[in-house]
């Protein structure tokens, strides 16, 4: 971990954010299950995923197939999703400081980009699973899947490591199971929920956060 008493060099910092329950104030995909699922088969898939019997790709694909979903209904839902009120100040602060920042998500790019656009967040690079509509049907792709790992549909670690250079100070902000692996490579980790429990059990360093106000305060203190 970085010495908490020292300031950070903006030129060396790279910040990575999870999306659901981190930037967004809810788990966007989980809410879709409640709104669009045709039956409760998604519940069993969720149980199998949480117990480690299936990976997130199998779970996501199965749950999407069980939804009555079209572009109009999805767009209407996504237009109502709000971001943590402190994310835009963080985003503007990082842009002003010319600090690279990215979103790493095990959700889908179409979903994230729609929400960011409706909340007037532009030019933020998103790495996530792929989703589009073709002839009224949902089409997915998983370009960032690690074929040697069955846990996550999107290997966040690979994208994180591809975006940093030697000597970089990595700041990671997340909450979920898919954040446990990439967070190990960060010098500064903000964690809550599953990620927080994982880091506690693993005796790894972290800073707990309730919302992104904690992250904004830290960044302003360390980078100004």
């Amino acid at each position: 971990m970085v010495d908490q008493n020292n300031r950070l060099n903006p030129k060396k910092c790279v910040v990575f954010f999870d999306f659901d329950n981190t930037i967004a104030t809810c788990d966007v995909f989980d809410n879709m299950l409640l709104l669009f699922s045709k039956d409760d088969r998604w519940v069993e898939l969720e149980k199998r995923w949480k117990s480690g019997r299936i990976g997130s790709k199998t779970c996501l694909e199965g749950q999407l197939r069980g939804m009555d979903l079209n572009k109009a209904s999805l767009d209407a839902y996504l237009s109502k999703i709000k971001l943590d009120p402190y994310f835009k100040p963080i985003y503007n602060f990082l842009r002003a400081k010319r600090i690279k920042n990215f979103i790493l998500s095990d959700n889908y790019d179409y979903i994230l980009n729609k929400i960011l656009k409706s909340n007037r967040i532009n030019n933020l690079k998103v790495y996530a699973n792929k989703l589009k509509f073709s002839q009224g049907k949902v089409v997915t792709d998983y370009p960032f899947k690690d074929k040697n790992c069955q846990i996550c549909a999107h290997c966040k670690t690979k994208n994180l490591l591809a975006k940093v250079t030697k000597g970089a100070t990595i700041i990671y902000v997340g909450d979920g199971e898919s954040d446990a692996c990439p967070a190990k490579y960060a010098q500064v980790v903000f964690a809550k929920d599953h990620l927080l429990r994982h880091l506690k059990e693993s005796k790894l360093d972290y800073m707990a956060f309730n919302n992104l106000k904690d992250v904004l305060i830290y960044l302003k203190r360390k980078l100004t």
Side-chain angles (χ1 to χ4, degrees), residues 1-222:
M1 291 287 286
V2 169
D3 187 338
Q4 297 302 307
N5 294 315
N6 292 337
R7 294 188 180 276
L8 302 178
N9 183 347
K11 294 181 180 179
K12 292 185 176 182
C13 287
V14 187
V15 185
F16 295 92
F17 297 94
D18 173 48
F19 189 80
D20 290 283
N21 279 325
T22 299
I23 291 175
T25 55
C26 64
D27 189 307
V28 178
F29 192 85
D30 280 1
N31 284 358
M32 287 171 57
L33 294 170
L34 299 174
L35 285 171
F36 300 115
S37 293
K38 292 176 283 190
D39 51 47
D40 61 358
R41 294 179 187 178
W42 68 269
V43 176
E44 179 58 28
L45 285 165
E46 194 81 0
K47 289 179 180 177
R48 292 174 65 195
W49 169 67
K50 287 184 175 180
S51 67
R53 288 178 285 168
I54 60 173
S56 65
K57 179 178 181 292
T58 300
C59 184
L60 288 167
E61 285 284 280
Q63 291 177 333
L64 273 175
R65 284 195 299 270
M67 292 186 195
D68 183 10
L69 197 64
N70 59 60
K71 187 175 184 298
S73 61
L74 178 58
D75 288 353
Y77 160 65
L78 297 177
S79 69
K80 300 174 184 177
I81 300 298
K82 300 300 182 185
L83 303 183
D84 184 301
Y86 293 96
F87 180 69
K88 194 162 189 176
I90 289 174
Y91 172 68
N92 290 334
F93 176 78
L94 294 175
R95 288 192 71 187
K97 292 289 183 180
R98 298 184 178 180
I99 296 171
K100 293 189 292 184
N101 57 107
F102 306 93
I103 292 177
L104 303 178
S105 176
D106 212 16
N107 202 329
Y108 293 94
D109 60 347
Y110 181 91
I111 292 170
L112 272 60
N113 285 322
K114 280 285 184 181
I115 295 170
L116 290 170
K117 185 177 180 179
S118 68
N119 283 272
R120 299 181 180 179
I121 300 291
N122 302 305
N123 304 314
L124 178 53
K125 184 63 179 178
V126 170
Y127 290 92
N129 305 312
K130 303 293 182 181
L131 184 150
K132 65 180 181 179
F133 288 90
S134 179
Q135 298 180 338
K137 295 183 179 180
V138 174
V139 179
T140 58
D141 188 28
Y142 302 86
F144 307 121
K145 179 85 173 68
D146 184 346
K147 64 181 181 180
N148 297 315
C149 176
Q150 298 306 311
I151 297 173
C152 298
H154 168 202
C155 180
K156 295 183 178 182
T157 298
K158 279 190 173 183
N159 274 324
L160 180 148
L161 294 177
K163 296 301 172 186
V164 299
T165 57
K166 187 176 181 180
T169 299
I170 301 170
I171 301 173
Y172 197 93
V173 187
D175 81 301
E177 183 173 352
S178 64
D179 300 311
C181 183
K184 292 186 295 186
Y185 295 88
Q187 286 73 44
V188 178
V189 180
F190 285 90
K192 64 178 179 178
D193 299 340
H194 177 91
L195 179 60
L196 178 62
R197 293 190 295 271
H198 170 79
L199 295 174
K200 280 183 177 180
E201 291 168 1
S202 302
K203 297 184 178 358
L204 297 173
D205 290 327
Y206 61 87
M207 285 183 280
F209 76 102
N210 293 313
N211 58 48
L212 294 180
K213 180 179 181 181
D214 302 311
V215 180
L216 179 61
I217 291 171
Y218 175 87
L219 292 174
K220 285 190 170 182
R221 188 173 75 245
K222 292 295 182 179

